[in-house]
Amino acid sequence: DNGRRVHFFPATGRAFRRLLRPEAERETVHQEMDYLQALRRTSVEGEMELFERR
């Protein structure tokens, strides 16, 4: 019934999960929505290579 926050560290492959207190859920959702809006306002530049060509 509680929200969860997952932290992932790609450099090490380490990940962990934290259960949120009910009073922290609203704040976390608000932070995530703010972050989503910031991503929508930011232009995407550069290239990404998903697979190495042989």
Side-chain angles (χ1 to χ4, degrees), residues 32-50:
E32 292 293 326
M33 295 303 289
D34 287 347
Y35 182 62
L36 179 61
Q37 292 300 321
L39 287 176
R40 287 182 176 154
R41 291 189 299 267
T42 304
S43 62
V44 177
E45 298 179 18
E47 298 179 15
M48 180 188 317
E49 183 175 322
L50 297 177

Side-chain angles (χ1 to χ4, degrees), residues 12-52:
T12 62
R14 182 174 171 246
F16 65 91
R17 168 196 53 89
R18 286 193 170 166
L19 294 176
L20 298 177
R21 297 181 317 272
E23 61 271 12
E25 285 187 53
R26 280 188 293 278
E27 179 62 25
T28 300
V29 168
H30 186 73
Q31 290 172 355
E32 292 293 326
M33 295 303 289
D34 287 347
Y35 182 62
L36 179 61
Q37 292 300 321
L39 287 176
R40 287 182 176 154
R41 291 189 299 267
T42 304
S43 62
V44 177
E45 298 179 18
E47 298 179 15
M48 180 188 317
E49 183 175 322
L50 297 177
F51 302 98
E52 182 179 339

